Amino acid sequence: MNLWLYIPAFAAILAGAYIFVACPSLRRFHKAMGFTFLFEGLTSLLNMSLLYRAETFRLPVYLLYLAMLLVIPAFYYLAVRSLLREDRIRSRNLWIFQTALIFLAIYLPVVSGILPGDREIFFRMLKGYHANPSSGASVLITLDRTAYALYLAEYLFIQVFSIINLSAYLKS
């Protein structure tokens, strides 16, 4: 078993836990970053367990992984917002979580409507086995790629938002 793959995940979890346990009086920015580290680490562990160690994929674990993947950029966004403005997080700042909720609201009925055999083909293809994709597995592959595209789009938005706002913050 190659433990080197797990070191970044455990480091992120430890960093997030340290922020909460050792520094309880930190500002909102640090708490949001602590959540980000915890989610990064847990998502990495879920991903590795799904791809490398599990005998068969478990659908609820996979859906939890996708939800956590799409929520990570939202925590970065909240961390930057709390750094720029020392006010409380308001409900209007939580709009970025809607991306994950909308995607999962679409994803769940589609996945439940696809035959278990198609899901198994999809999961085997994710593990690296060569299989002829069925129509249901092709739909799942498209949704999986869409989830990663959403994740990257969210991340790009957060990076541009951070660069623009932090540079203005540092100049003032």
Side-chain angles (χ1 to χ4, degrees):
M1 182 171 165
N2 190 356
L3 291 178
W4 289 103
L5 298 173
Y6 292 89
I7 289 176
F10 285 122
I13 291 172
L14 288 175
Y18 176 77
I19 287 172
F20 288 108
V21 174
C23 312
S25 63
L26 286 177
R27 294 172 20 199
R28 288 180 188 89
F29 165 72
H30 297 96
K31 291 178 182 175
M33 287 306 294
F35 275 120
T36 305
F37 285 136
L38 286 173
F39 266 70
E40 288 269 12
L42 291 173
T43 305
S44 296
L45 287 178
L46 275 176
N47 185 30
M48 285 184 276
S49 68
L50 285 170
L51 290 178
Y52 299 116
R53 303 305 305 161
E55 275 302 310
T56 60
F57 266 53
R58 301 285 181 237
L59 190 60
V61 177
Y62 180 69
L63 293 174
L64 176 66
Y65 163 72
L66 283 182
M68 291 177 72
L69 184 74
L70 293 172
V71 165
I72 289 169
F75 280 119
Y76 276 125
Y77 173 75
L78 293 180
V80 174
R81 291 276 311 188
S82 63
L83 177 66
L84 297 174
R85 299 167 189 86
E86 275 300 316
D87 57 354
R88 300 179 74 198
I89 302 290
R90 296 196 173 100
S91 59
R92 69 172 181 249
N93 296 333
L94 300 177
W95 64 269
I96 195 156
F97 286 99
Q98 290 177 353
T99 305
L101 292 176
I102 291 169
F103 180 79
L104 291 173
I106 295 169
Y107 197 89
L108 284 172
V110 171
V111 170
S112 63
I114 290 177
L115 295 174
D118 295 332
R119 280 184 250 159
E120 189 61 35
I121 291 170
F122 165 67
F123 292 142
R124 290 175 66 206
M125 290 175 72
L126 281 181
K127 286 184 189 180
Y129 299 122
H130 296 289
N132 293 329
S134 60
S135 59
S138 297
V139 170
L140 288 174
I141 290 167
T142 302
L143 286 171
D144 189 61
R145 289 180 180 163
T146 305
Y148 285 107
L150 282 173
Y151 169 74
L152 293 175
E154 287 178 354
Y155 233 105
L156 181 62
F157 169 77
I158 300 307
Q159 295 303 323
V160 170
F161 173 83
S162 300
I163 290 168
I164 291 170
N165 287 290
L166 288 175
S167 60
Y169 176 76
L170 294 174
K171 287 179 185 175
S172 62

